[in-house]
Amino acid sequence: MLTQLYSSQGLEEGQVQRIVRKACGLGIPITVLKTEFCFNVAHSGELVAKDRTKIEWCLAEGGHKVSSKSQLQASGHDFVVEVGPRMNFTTAWSTNCVSVLRAAEVSSVERLERSRRFLVCSSAPLGEEQRARLISIIHDRMTEMVYDKPLVSFESGITPKPVRWIPLMKEGKKALEDINKEMGLGFDEWDYDYYLSLYRDDLKRDPSDCELFDFAQSNSEHSRHWFFGGKMVIDGVEKEESLFRIVKDTLQKNPNANSNSVIAFADNSSSIVGAKAPMLVPAYYSDASQEPGKPCHYVEAEIDMDLIYTAETHNMPTGICPFAGAETGTGGRLRDVQSTGTGASYVAGTIGYCVGALNNPADKKPYEDANWSYPSNMASPIDILIEGSNGASDYGNKFGEPLICGFTRSFGVRTAGGERREWVKPILFTGGFGQMNAKH
């Protein structure tokens, strides 16, 4: 069963005003935007009064009222739109809520998702295109969806497709070309030849669409390890070293490498020799009679702390959904910092953005062309900068890691020869400083 509870709490006023300004800038004549939260509570059996009281108390953040009746009522050409998490996965927010309710001895709640409801008031009725534009700026299209009516369950209605066998043994290379075009697998001539030989000559069977899709993801080269570690053939001559080996050799040939580099081309981060630092640590760090893992007092000690730094890009996700893409890029990099050695600590983060022509209405540049087209699944360059910056800072703030420096580049120009050069696919470069006990 699923019950809706509505909270008088909604988005903060600053968030609402940003949406209104952005909508007006897109030609959507919004005059008033009111918001509230809706809590969709999935529970087994009837929700008893005692459990409901506990749930409402837990959800009544900051003294806001929680009830079974919505405060947003539309009239005239005004309308209410609701957006929330997709049905096919449970959010971390829901998992935390259910865990808290379990601790409060509410065992009947199985899932609890929060959606956002907007009462849209405008000076004139909005057309379908204007509604679609508005909805696009109030939700994350990767992880959220529009609720056309109140939910009755979290069932997605999605039925898994049956596994399909690709007739490679019968049709040969053409079968691979067809499925590549249909599913957008990104195979090239080398892939066609390799997989044809693998299945026809070695495995002697047809591949499934699942197998080929999995190969495509493996080939996507998220970190380019396969490419940089592969054989390098130039003008028909295979080189003795791979690109990765050439890069690594710069460390081995550096006379100071062994004395300064602690970790390089291994683990989750690089590390160099640091210095002794006074730290408050458990007594077993300096007293051999104390047993690690047992209760003990803290003492001040001089600890050898090495410096670490790691960085990664999160380009395509940030281009499609800037806030979540930059947020998870920062989160993945934070994970790498802490996973170095047998444990390290993050200190501060850095960030960098490279995007296309901004076409900022308040700061037009003579070389920018507002008529240039962009992929429909990509956010605009100016939205990537604003929302990407918000996402990267948001994750760091939640972790307690300050963002201390970075860079921004915007470029899009038509050359004298007519060629368009631009960061259509953006670059999101996230880096982080950390420190690690030299023993780790």
Side-chain angles (χ1 to χ4, degrees):
M1 300 179 66
L2 197 145
T3 299
Q4 272 84 29
L5 296 174
Y6 301 90
S7 171
S8 58
Q9 180 186 15
L11 298 183
E12 296 179 2
E13 184 61 27
Q15 293 174 298
V16 172
Q17 291 306 315
R18 280 197 297 271
I19 293 174
V20 172
R21 285 195 299 269
K22 188 170 184 178
C24 291
L26 294 172
I28 305 171
I30 291 180
T31 54
V32 177
L33 188 67
K34 296 181 180 179
T35 68
E36 69 179 6
F37 290 145
C38 175
F39 301 103
N40 298 281
V41 186
H43 49 91
S44 57
E46 292 293 331
L47 200 58
V48 298
K50 182 176 67 173
D51 285 352
R52 182 173 181 131
T53 300
K54 290 180 180 180
I55 294 170
E56 291 181 0
W57 182 85
C58 287
L59 297 176
E61 183 178 349
H64 288 279
K65 183 180 179 182
V66 175
S67 69
S68 58
K69 185 176 180 180
S70 169
Q71 303 299 309
L72 303 183
Q73 302 298 326
S75 61
H77 58 256
D78 300 340
F79 63 95
V80 174
V81 60
E82 182 176 357
V83 296
R86 293 186 178 275
M87 301 296 97
N88 55 337
F89 72 94
T90 301
T91 65
W93 192 90
S94 171
T95 302
N96 287 337
C97 283
V98 172
S99 177
V100 169
L101 292 174
R102 288 280 192 277
E105 298 182 348
V106 179
S107 59
S108 60
V109 175
E110 300 168 338
R111 182 176 174 184
L112 199 164
E113 298 289 3
R114 184 179 68 178
S115 58
R116 305 183 302 283
R117 290 168 51 86
F118 299 83
L119 173 60
V120 183
C121 304
S122 56
S123 57
L126 301 188
E128 289 301 318
E129 185 177 344
Q130 289 177 316
R131 285 196 181 211
R133 278 192 206 165
L134 175 62
I135 291 172
S136 72
I137 64 177
I138 63 174
H139 83 300
D140 174 357
R141 57 185 171 178
M142 287 183 68
T143 61
E144 296 179 320
M145 61 183 289
V146 177
Y147 298 166
D148 295 321
K149 56 185 179 181
L151 299 181
V152 295
S153 78
F154 285 121
E155 290 296 326
S156 66
I158 299 174
T159 303
K161 293 182 179 179
V163 174
R164 184 156 48 113
W165 297 96
I166 310 306
L168 177 145
M169 300 298 286
K170 179 180 178 182
E171 299 180 8
K173 181 178 177 181
K174 182 179 181 301
L176 292 175
E177 293 173 336
D178 290 345
I179 193 65
N180 178 55
K181 184 177 180 180
E182 177 187 333
M183 300 181 67
L185 302 179
F187 289 165
D188 57 20
E189 289 298 323
W190 187 93
D191 292 316
Y192 290 142
D193 293 340
Y194 179 77
Y195 296 132
L196 180 63
S197 174
L198 174 66
Y199 280 95
R200 183 189 59 195
D201 303 333
D202 297 338
L203 300 178
K204 294 180 173 53
R205 66 171 176 85
D206 289 331
S208 71
D209 56 351
C210 294
E211 291 172 327
L212 295 179
F213 186 83
D214 189 43
F215 289 148
Q217 309 319 303
S218 300
N219 291 350
S220 68
E221 285 291 73
H222 181 73
S223 300
R224 308 301 290 175
H225 292 164
W226 185 5
F227 181 85
F228 283 109
K231 295 179 181 179
M232 185 163 55
V233 180
I234 300 177
D235 295 332
V237 179
E238 182 179 334
K239 301 299 180 181
E240 294 182 1
E241 298 176 312
S242 66
L243 285 174
F244 220 162
R245 173 49 54 194
I246 292 174
V247 173
K248 290 180 177 181
D249 280 349
T250 60
L251 175 69
Q252 301 302 323
K253 295 175 181 177
N254 184 341
N256 297 318
N258 294 332
S259 60
N260 190 52
S261 291
V262 179
I263 301 174
F265 304 116
D267 213 320
N268 291 280
S269 302
S270 59
S271 177
I272 60 174
V273 174
K276 285 187 177 294
M279 301 187 70
L280 194 62
V281 296
Y284 61 75
Y285 271 80
S286 58
D287 185 352
S289 65
Q290 299 286 340
E291 183 180 350
K294 297 289 186 180
C296 66
H297 58 285
Y298 274 74
V299 298
E300 183 177 324
E302 294 285 322
I303 304 296
D304 286 317
M305 298 298 293
D306 290 336
L307 303 176
I308 62 177
Y309 184 79
T310 189
E312 70 170 67
T313 59
H314 219 227
N315 304 334
M316 195 65 179
T318 303
I320 295 175
C321 188
F323 187 97
E327 186 179 40
T328 52
T330 299
R333 190 263 307 152
L334 270 165
R335 171 205 61 212
D336 288 342
V337 171
Q338 295 179 94
S339 300
T340 307
T342 57
S345 303
Y346 53 85
V347 175
T350 64
I351 200 73
Y353 309 92
C354 296
V355 298
L358 294 180
N359 283 301
N360 186 350
D363 187 25
K364 291 289 292 181
K365 302 298 182 186
Y367 52 82
E368 294 178 339
D369 189 341
N371 295 319
W372 281 356
S373 62
Y374 295 87
S376 60
N377 64 335
M378 300 282 280
S380 67
I382 193 167
D383 283 343
I384 292 172
L385 280 188
I386 295 172
E387 294 303 320
S389 176
N390 290 342
S393 298
D394 180 75
Y395 205 107
N397 289 342
K398 289 174 179 175
F399 245 82
E401 181 200 63
L403 196 60
I404 59 172
C405 65
F407 66 86
T408 300
R409 300 286 184 271
S410 169
F411 185 77
V413 69
R414 183 79 69 180
T415 67
E419 183 181 1
R420 177 182 173 186
R421 295 189 178 181
E422 185 177 11
W423 277 303
V424 175
K425 177 183 176 182
I427 293 175
L428 183 284
F429 184 84
T430 172
F433 297 98
Q435 60 181 0
M436 176 179 65
N437 188 322
K439 293 181 179 179
H440 296 173

